[in-house]
């Protein structure tokens, strides 16, 4: 699997020991921190939301140095993201992880800022995800589940009202900013 050319990998990615869970606590803590940052940065740059432990993921191997993360290492790095609220397991077996490169509260704030900047106070859910106004923004292609959670949070705070249209495709939202 080819990594996009526009993403710059950190120096540690070519250092073989970082593909093996380190036994010394201080070294492992640094290793986990570096991998968490790499996973979040990469997923954000590629607008990826789901990582599966059982499927190939570009970052979990480096053919150049002939190294791959073990299942245990992948699980440890994702579990560290989960423990910080930067990811969530989306299945009971902890095989698939939803990556939250922005936390739900941060998504909600981003949406409000976007609405204030664009004046787009009433829109459909799909227009937020793929409308012309969102091209080139973090909202373009946002995971629908993440978007709905952020919108429900705004609704709880009285900043938005989610309404049903005549079909599931035209569900909408009205913002009060």
């Amino acid at each position: 699997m080819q990594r996009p050319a526009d993403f710059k990998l950190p120096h540690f990615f070519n250092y073989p020991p970082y593909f093996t869970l380190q036994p010394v606590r201080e070294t492992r803590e640094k290793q986990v921190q570096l991998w968490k940052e790499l996973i979040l940065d990469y997923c954000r740059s590629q607008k990826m939301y789901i990582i599966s432990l059982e499927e190939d993921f570009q970052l979990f191997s480096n053919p150049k140095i002939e190294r791959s993360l073990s299942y245990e290492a992948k699980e440890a790095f994702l579990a560290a993201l989960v423990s910080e609220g930067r990811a969530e397991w989306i299945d009971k077996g902890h095989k698939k992880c939803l990556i939250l490169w922005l936390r739900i509260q941060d998504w909600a704030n981003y949406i409000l800022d976007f609405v204030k900047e664009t004046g787009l106070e009433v829109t459909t859910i799909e227009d937020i995800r793929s409308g012309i106004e969102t091209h080139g923004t973090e909202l373009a292609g946002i995971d629908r589940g993440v978007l709905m959670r952020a919108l429900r949070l705004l609704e709880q705070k009285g900043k938005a009202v989610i309404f049903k249209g005549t079909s599931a495709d035209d569900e909408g939202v009205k913002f009060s900013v």
Side-chain angles (χ1 to χ4, degrees):
M1 207 179 282
Q2 190 77 16
R3 276 178 281 284
D6 61 340
F7 184 78
K8 185 170 175 10
L9 291 165
H11 294 293
F12 84 83
F13 195 76
N14 291 314
Y15 187 56
Y18 272 84
F19 282 84
T20 304
L21 278 177
Q22 296 300 301
V24 177
R25 186 176 55 82
E26 295 83 15
T27 307
R28 183 182 290 213
E29 287 172 0
K30 176 72 173 161
Q31 177 189 32
V32 168
Q33 185 60 37
L34 288 170
W35 275 100
K36 287 186 308 186
E37 291 169 7
L38 175 58
I39 292 167
L40 290 172
D41 290 347
Y42 184 79
C43 288
R44 186 177 199 158
S45 77
Q46 303 306 309
K47 294 197 177 265
M48 294 179 68
Y49 292 89
I50 307 291
I51 295 177
S52 172
L53 290 174
E54 296 180 332
E55 295 172 16
D56 283 343
F57 180 58
Q58 304 86 310
L59 292 182
F60 292 161
S61 66
N62 185 344
K64 184 174 161 185
I65 60 169
E66 298 179 358
R67 291 288 191 269
S68 293
L69 291 175
S70 68
Y71 187 91
E72 178 188 15
K74 293 186 257 186
E75 191 174 36
F77 301 147
L78 292 177
L81 287 169
V82 169
S83 72
E84 291 181 359
R86 301 308 302 264
E88 297 173 356
W89 296 111
I90 56 176
D91 62 333
K92 290 183 182 189
H94 292 195
K95 306 283 186 222
K96 287 189 177 182
C97 208
L98 173 68
I99 304 299
L100 297 168
W101 27 276
L102 288 179
R103 291 179 175 93
I104 299 300
Q105 177 62 57
D106 297 330
W107 276 115
N109 292 340
Y110 186 90
I111 292 166
L112 277 184
D113 290 344
F114 174 79
V115 168
K116 288 174 187 172
E117 288 173 21
T118 62
L120 195 68
E121 293 185 20
V122 179
T123 188
T124 66
I125 302 302
E126 280 311 305
D127 276 348
I128 294 173
R129 297 182 70 226
S130 60
I132 195 140
E133 295 87 0
T134 61
H135 283 255
T137 72
E138 297 276 15
L139 293 171
I142 184 174
D143 178 84
R144 186 175 173 87
V146 170
L147 174 60
M148 293 307 296
R149 287 174 57 193
L151 292 174
R152 282 193 287 275
L153 181 61
L154 290 172
E155 192 172 46
Q156 290 169 359
K157 294 181 174 190
K159 305 266 185 195
V161 176
I162 301 169
F163 58 87
K164 301 278 185 215
T166 54
S167 70
D169 292 347
D170 65 354
E171 205 172 16
V173 61
K174 180 179 187 325
F175 297 95
S176 45
V177 288

